């Protein structure tokens, strides 16, 4: 059984271990970045844990009032629980909370090479807004995706 909870500063070690496990060193957030995200940044990190309190995944989202949007900084799921809908569940929770709080949009970046994540994001309604050449390093392109949280305006007849 897996459960979701909000991250606390003392989760730093488990998060950085999973970050290193899921991402190559050139794109993984370091301990100091995670320390900032957990202690000072405006936003939150949701953790996915098993019944032994082992970290199985996370989603970190930051608030940007000036742009009226949430920014997903990172999303990771341990390989042993991938393809079970957990990334979708984390994203759906952030989308629902963002709508309830009145945010205008959610933004994220995804590598062109990560076709599974791209398909998940597009399936949830995210749309490409910008191509980001070499975003993850030379030859490693990405796209910035945005999901509007506002209801679509209807034309009045």
């Amino acid at each position: 059984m897996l459960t979701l909870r909000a991250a606390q500063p003392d989760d730093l070690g488990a998060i950085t271990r999973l970050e290193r496990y899921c991402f190559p060193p050139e794109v993984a957030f370091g301990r100091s970045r995670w320390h900032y995200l957990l202690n000072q940044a405006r936003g939150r990190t949701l953790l996915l844990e098993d019944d032994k309190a082992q970290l199985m995944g996370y989603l970190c989202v930051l608030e940007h009032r000036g742009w009226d949007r949430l920014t997903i900084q990172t999303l990771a799921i341990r390989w042993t629980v991938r393809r079970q809908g957990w990334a979708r569940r984390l994203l759906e929770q952030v989308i629902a909370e963002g709508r309830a709080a009145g945010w205008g949009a959610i933004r994220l970046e995804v590598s062109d090479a990560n076709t599974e994540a791209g398909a998940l994001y597009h399936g949830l309604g995210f749309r490409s807004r910008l191509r980001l050449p070499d975003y993850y390093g030379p030859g490693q392109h990405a796209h910035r995706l945005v999901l509007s949280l506002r209801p679509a305006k209807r034309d009045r007849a």
Side-chain angles (χ1 to χ4, degrees):
M1 172 99 184
L2 299 180
T3 57
L4 295 177
R5 71 170 175 86
Q8 302 297 316
D10 61 353
D11 293 312
L12 177 64
I15 292 170
T16 55
R17 281 190 297 278
L18 185 57
E19 178 87 5
R20 287 187 205 121
Y21 173 82
C22 291
F23 297 104
E26 62 272 10
V27 298
F29 290 169
R31 191 172 183 84
S32 63
R33 176 69 176 164
W34 273 109
H35 184 272
Y36 167 77
L37 291 170
L38 293 172
N39 292 287
Q40 296 169 291
R42 295 190 64 114
R44 72 188 201 130
T45 300
L46 294 172
L47 302 183
L48 176 65
E49 291 182 322
D50 68 9
D51 54 359
K52 296 174 186 158
Q54 180 179 4
L55 184 60
M56 305 306 279
Y58 56 77
L59 185 150
C60 178
V61 61
L62 298 182
E63 300 174 355
H64 196 295
R65 294 266 175 225
W67 293 340
D68 188 28
R69 67 177 49 171
L70 299 171
T71 302
I72 295 176
Q73 291 289 289
T74 186
L75 168 62
I77 303 292
R78 184 178 294 277
W79 73 271
T80 56
V81 295
R82 283 192 187 146
R83 296 179 187 82
Q84 296 177 20
W86 290 106
R88 175 178 291 277
R89 184 169 171 194
L90 286 165
L91 288 160
E92 287 173 343
Q93 180 160 337
V94 167
I95 291 166
E97 290 174 358
R99 281 193 174 114
W103 287 97
I106 299 176
R107 176 192 113 181
L108 58 83
E109 289 79 31
V110 63
S111 169
D112 289 354
N114 194 343
T115 56
E116 286 183 43
L120 171 62
Y121 301 141
H122 284 98
L124 288 168
F126 284 84
R127 298 295 171 246
S128 182
R129 294 288 189 251
L130 182 65
R131 186 165 188 278
L132 303 167
D134 302 320
Y135 186 78
Y136 290 109
Q140 298 179 42
H141 312 306
H143 276 84
R144 176 163 297 142
L145 306 180
V146 176
L147 172 68
S148 175
L149 298 179
R150 304 249 192 260
K153 294 180 181 177
R154 295 183 180 233
D155 292 330
R156 294 183 187 177

